[in-house]
Structure formats: C-alpha cells, structure tokens
Amino acid sequence: QVQLVESGGGLVQPGNSLRLSCVASGPSTMIFPISDMGWYRQAPGKQRELVATINYAGTTTYADSGKGRFTISRDDAKNTVYLQMNNLEPEDTAVYYCSGDVAVNLLQRVTVWGQGTLVTGSS
C-alpha cells in the first residue's frame, strides 16, 4: 500500500517562508522516479485547488496564486517532493495536501493522497 506523509506546516508571519515535504512509502516494487506528483490546498469553506505539479521528468506547473512565490521540487533518491513557499500571505492559509499518481510497478499506477498539513498565515 502506497502512503504519502506530509510535514512542515505551521504558523507563519506574512512575508516569511515555509517548506513542505511529502514522503512516499510503499511496496518494494514502487517506482517513485516515474511518478507524477502534486500539491493541493483547501482553505476553510473553499474547494480543494491545485497548487503545483511536477512530473517524472521534472516539468512543473503552477496555479496563478503561487507563481513566482512557490517552487515544487523532488528528490527521487528520498522518495520526496517539496513545496517551497516564499512571501507567504494570509490568503495562503489552508490545509496542504500531497498527491500523486504513483507507480506501484512498471505497469500499474495508483492515485494517492496524503493526510494534509496545516499552514496558517497570520495577519
């Protein structure tokens, strides 16, 4: 069973930075380097939205809300994907979720979500 575990959330002052991490674990046949990963967030009273994605080749995409402030990256040796968030704003307050289409073997992928980590931007 593949699991994603996020960490790094917390309370931040406006303008400060935070780095979220997401570690994938699973069966010995899991192939993280060919998995496509992403970060999403859900603010209070709002729907979950895309923040950023990174595919197996390292190609990234960003929602307009994070362009120029957020950077998604991955370390395949550590089965980890990161979200570096700079110049945080109170509007960035949300639960941040890691998700991925993780290769459990060469032929099969599963869509997995983490449990989320709370980021609170104080005003």
Side-chain angles (χ1 to χ4, degrees):
Q1 182 178 356
V2 177
Q3 290 186 320
L4 301 178
V5 178
E6 305 99 331
S7 62
L11 176 67
V12 293
Q13 297 290 328
N16 283 1
S17 299
L18 206 60
R19 188 177 81 158
L20 307 182
S21 300
C22 170
V23 179
S25 63
S28 60
T29 56
M30 185 180 75
I31 312 172
F32 185 79
I34 62 171
S35 303
D36 298 327
M37 304 297 297
W39 285 96
Y40 297 75
R41 69 184 184 184
Q42 187 167 17
K46 295 187 177 181
Q47 291 187 331
R48 191 173 299 186
E49 63 179 9
L50 173 71
V51 176
T53 66
I54 185 167
N55 71 3
Y56 67 96
T59 301
T60 58
T61 64
Y62 295 93
D64 288 343
S65 58
K67 284 182 179 177
R69 300 188 300 128
F70 295 176
T71 302
I72 188 171
S73 62
R74 63 192 297 159
D75 184 342
D76 291 335
K78 297 181 179 180
N79 289 355
T80 301
V81 61
Y82 303 99
L83 183 67
Q84 177 69 42
M85 303 186 292
N86 298 328
N87 194 21
L88 282 162
E89 304 167 352
E91 292 73 23
D92 295 316
T93 294
V95 177
Y96 284 72
Y97 297 91
C98 176
S99 180
D101 289 331
V102 179
V104 294
N105 54 53
L106 285 173
L107 300 177
Q108 184 181 8
R109 291 173 180 262
V110 293
T111 299
V112 188
W113 289 86
Q115 83 288 349
T117 186
L118 177 63
V119 174
T120 304
S122 63
S123 58

